[in-house]
Amino acid sequence: MPSRTPPPTVRINIPTVNVSEAWAPTPLRKQRIFGTRLVRLYLPCVLILSLVTNIYYFTRPAPLALPATLSSQQSGAQMHREIADTDMRQLTDLVVVPGHGVYLGAGSPLDEANWYLQEQQRGEVGAFMAHVGKGIEMVKEHERALLVFSGSKTRLEAGAHSEALGYWTAADRMGWLTNDVFRRVVTEEYARDSLENVLFSIARFHEVTGNYPDRITVVGFEFKRERFVDVHRRALRYPRIRFNYVGINPPGDAAHLVAAEKKNAYEPFSRDLYACEGTLAEKRRERNPFMLAHGYAKSCPEISALFDYCPKPASSVFDGDLPWLN
């Protein structure tokens, strides 16, 4: 039996492949689809946010700014002052600015929202500040003048803010209390009416300087001129030639103010020179809600008789000795 030839051996050469070079299927298409979806989803959001930001940046309101005189200075309490040396004993002239409304000390004093005002005082803050500014101007021009802001804590609703301190603070906020006048601007915080504005300011002048003023200038409303010059000056027997009045009215027609002044102040004070009776005495009580008491009779013994003087009849003028008559 013939021998059977074995089938030829087939050899297949299988190339060796480095494992690191081996191909492995990856879900590339799936990743690309997912990434594309993210871009489509978030890109509009980013563009919208960028658009809104740019619109706000170019259309945003400008920040509120105080007037230049306020924005360029600091509060007096924070400012380092190099106060001019002043010999207070050499001062000779008294400038009185009677208080009206109460500046509460925060925000611009040019904005009446920062004042405590009675209803009839609305719109008069500009005139108040004109009085303050004129007083400062006068002591800047006259190096021997002392400015007294006068007015007590007259309104319970205003709290412990006096009219005088409010005016002083307003001047400081405006940057007007410069180093050359700083020591020559003081407050008088007990006066409850216009007669006391003058009398108590004379007392403060004496407390500060040790003397009584050679001349007095009052800065107030023009429609109150006659009350100060004809009535209060006469009650204090201060010489007319040494007594001056600077009048600045609020804007608008002052005819109604003149009529009210005559009825409610000039005539009552003419009948009751020292406010001892009736409506004038009642107003003093109402304007002292914190029950304050001054000490001027002790610090100014030469004029102590004037502080409680109540003659009969009420229109009689004080006939005692006074230092400005000598």
Side-chain angles (χ1 to χ4, degrees), residues 165-176:
L165 184 57
Y167 276 35
W168 188 99
T169 305
D172 196 32
R173 291 277 295 178
M174 294 296 291
W176 294 342

Side-chain angles (χ1 to χ4, degrees), residues 89-169:
R89 296 170 298 177
Q90 298 301 314
L91 303 184
T92 58
D93 286 45
L94 168 62
V95 179
V96 183
V97 176
H100 301 284
V102 182
Y103 173 56
L104 301 175
S108 170
L110 303 176
D111 184 352
E112 72 172 26
N114 299 321
W115 291 69
Y116 177 80
L117 303 170
Q118 295 183 294
E119 191 59 37
Q120 67 270 23
Q121 294 175 318
R122 300 289 176 188
E124 295 185 356
V125 164
F128 299 165
M129 293 303 296
H131 298 165
V132 173
K134 186 62 178 179
I136 296 289
E137 180 183 286
M138 294 182 72
V139 295
K140 282 182 175 291
E141 293 175 349
H142 187 3
E143 62 182 12
R144 291 196 174 186
L146 178 76
L147 171 58
V148 177
F149 293 126
S150 174
S152 188
K153 302 172 184 178
T154 56
R155 307 297 173 189
L156 183 63
E157 297 85 351
H161 299 274
S162 72
E163 295 169 352
L165 184 57
Y167 276 35
W168 188 99
T169 305

Side-chain angles (χ1 to χ4, degrees), residues 32-71:
R32 288 175 182 170
I33 293 173
F34 181 69
T36 303
R37 289 177 178 173
L38 285 178
V39 171
R40 290 178 178 174
L41 176 64
Y42 288 108
L43 183 58
C45 296
V46 172
L47 293 175
I48 292 172
L49 180 61
S50 175
L51 179 62
V52 170
T53 302
N54 281 276
I55 291 174
Y56 170 76
Y57 180 80
F58 288 107
T59 62
R60 72 192 190 281
L64 294 176
L66 293 174
T69 50
L70 297 179
S71 59

Side-chain angles (χ1 to χ4, degrees), residues 168-203:
W168 188 99
T169 305
D172 196 32
R173 291 277 295 178
M174 294 296 291
W176 294 342
L177 296 184
T178 50
N179 296 339
D180 57 326
V181 301
F182 185 80
R183 286 201 64 195
R184 294 187 291 121
V185 181
V186 300
T187 61
E188 186 292 302
E189 300 186 68
Y190 293 98
R192 299 162 294 176
D193 59 31
S194 51
L195 174 63
E196 290 186 341
N197 285 141
V198 181
L199 176 57
F200 290 3
S201 292
I202 292 173

Side-chain angles (χ1 to χ4, degrees), residues 309-320:
Y309 185 65
C310 285
K312 297 291 184 181
S315 59
S316 299
V317 177
F318 180 79
D319 60 359

